[in-house]
Amino acid sequence: MFRQLKARFGSAIAMAVVGVLGVWLIAMVTLPQLQMIDYSFRPSLLPAEIGGPKDHWTLDNYVTLFNNEIHLAIFFKTLWSSVLVTLLTLCVSYPLAYFLAKVASPGQAALCLLLLVIPFWVNEILRTFAWFILLAYSGPLNELLLSMGLIERPIRYMSGDAGVLIGMVYAYILFMVFPLYNAIESLDGNQIRAARDLGAGSLRTHWRIVIPHAKPGIATGCIMTFMLAAGSYAVPALLGSPGSRWFTQIIYNWFFAGGDWNQGAAYAFMLLVLCIGFMSLVMRLFKVGLADIAK
């Protein structure tokens, strides 16, 4: 990156950009994470006890998680639900990204992208509240389905995880669409036409040509969507029922309701490890590296 910046803007600007980026990564990303890790290995002590004989590294905060069956179940449920959100978002985004990249005209693609982006000019909390209204027991969606005769009684969308899944797919769809769109757009259309001329159907063309070419975009979209879903707090808090708690809500309670930052840091670090593990798994599954994802 430095060489490219130097060739385009000169040494001074290249060094300034790299320096600012380095300071941001160290001050805003690395140091807070290291402090969180340090907190997670220390017991929760009174201010007068900090620095004393009791202030030493321990695994008690992590033992608390593995000994608490409810929190551990919520942890694995968050893992599974985040994977499900990622798969649902991929299923919704892939046809849309292919349409924008290879089917739609430039004008149609620009209009569709504009329609996708405009709702995200509104705050995430307000967008989630909009879904809360739509999915309510007496909300517009149930009223519409009842008037069309498709259902006999209103559906409680927010009695389980359905409302959370719908809200998250909507909230993070752009993070899947744009990487897929960028990857599919670079595919030579002649390869698709050649496959069709040789008798390949649509499914076989996508499976053998489009999807292999779009692997970096799929990997990037899956990683971003999973991390955002696993770390989401607003959507589960607003659209989830009491029985569909997210692991981030437990972390929030430790930090702000319980005032135990050390225990909350341990839970947050476990969530970070989960996200890093998922990212490594996706990269290995799609056989892509960081350089491929960064393109």
Side-chain angles (χ1 to χ4, degrees):
M1 182 182 70
F2 178 78
R3 293 180 179 178
Q4 294 174 344
L5 290 173
K6 181 180 178 181
R8 187 170 182 178
F9 301 106
S11 300
I13 295 179
M15 291 179 63
V17 172
V18 173
V20 170
L21 180 61
V23 170
W24 181 81
L25 287 174
I26 293 173
M28 303 300 294
V29 179
T30 305
L31 291 180
Q33 296 296 333
L34 291 176
Q35 188 172 20
M36 181 189 71
I37 295 172
D38 180 63
Y39 277 3
S40 71
F41 285 104
R42 294 187 182 276
S44 181
L45 302 173
L46 296 174
E49 297 177 324
I50 296 178
K54 295 182 179 180
D55 190 6
H56 56 82
W57 277 24
T58 177
L59 294 175
D60 290 346
N61 295 322
Y62 294 93
V63 173
T64 300
L65 170 61
F66 290 102
N67 286 341
N68 192 316
E69 296 181 359
I70 297 177
H71 289 182
L72 196 61
I74 293 175
F75 178 78
F76 287 112
K77 177 242 178 183
T78 301
L79 166 63
W80 160 246
S81 298
S82 299
V83 172
L84 185 57
V85 168
T86 303
L87 294 177
L88 290 174
T89 308
L90 177 60
C91 292
V92 172
S93 301
Y94 180 82
L96 179 58
Y98 181 80
F99 171 80
L100 294 173
K102 294 302 179 184
V103 179
S105 64
Q108 292 173 332
L111 178 61
C112 290
L113 289 173
L114 184 63
L115 293 175
L116 282 172
V117 171
I118 284 178
F120 287 81
W121 294 352
V122 180
N123 183 272
E124 181 182 355
I125 301 295
L126 297 180
R127 296 199 313 269
T128 306
F129 266 121
W131 276 106
F132 181 85
I133 295 172
L134 288 172
L135 299 176
Y137 186 75
S138 300
L141 181 58
N142 273 328
E143 293 293 336
L144 177 62
L145 296 177
L146 286 170
S147 64
M148 297 175 62
L150 298 178
I151 57 176
E152 296 181 357
R153 59 178 63 87
I155 301 173
R156 297 187 182 274
Y157 297 101
M158 291 182 288
S159 62
D161 292 329
V164 178
L165 296 179
I166 294 172
M168 283 192 176
V169 170
Y170 169 75
Y172 307 130
I173 189 172
L174 289 186
F175 296 95
M176 185 71 76
V177 168
F178 284 143
L180 285 173
Y181 171 77
N182 290 332
I184 296 174
E185 189 183 31
S186 64
L187 175 64
D188 187 357
N190 291 324
Q191 296 185 40
I192 299 176
R193 287 188 287 271
R196 291 175 178 171
D197 291 341
L198 293 173
S202 297
L203 292 177
R204 190 172 182 83
T205 300
H206 282 275
W207 183 254
R208 297 295 297 273
I209 296 176
V210 182
I211 292 178
H213 181 82
K215 284 195 300 183
I218 296 174
T220 302
C222 289
I223 290 171
M224 295 177 66
T225 303
F226 177 86
M227 288 187 169
L228 290 169
S232 177
Y233 175 80
V235 177
L238 294 175
L239 299 180
S241 64
S244 60
R245 299 178 71 190
W246 219 252
F247 196 65
T248 47
Q249 295 173 279
I250 307 298
I251 296 174
Y252 179 91
N253 290 337
W254 278 120
F255 273 104
F256 300 105
D260 193 340
W261 283 41
N262 303 87
Q263 191 67 64
Y267 278 44
F269 182 63
M270 289 299 298
L271 185 62
L272 176 63
V273 171
L274 169 66
C275 292
I276 294 175
F278 180 83
M279 181 179 69
S280 302
L281 178 63
V282 169
M283 292 172 61
R284 180 178 294 273
L285 180 64
F286 287 94
K287 298 180 181 179
V288 297
L290 290 175
D292 297 318
I293 294 176
K295 291 181 180 178

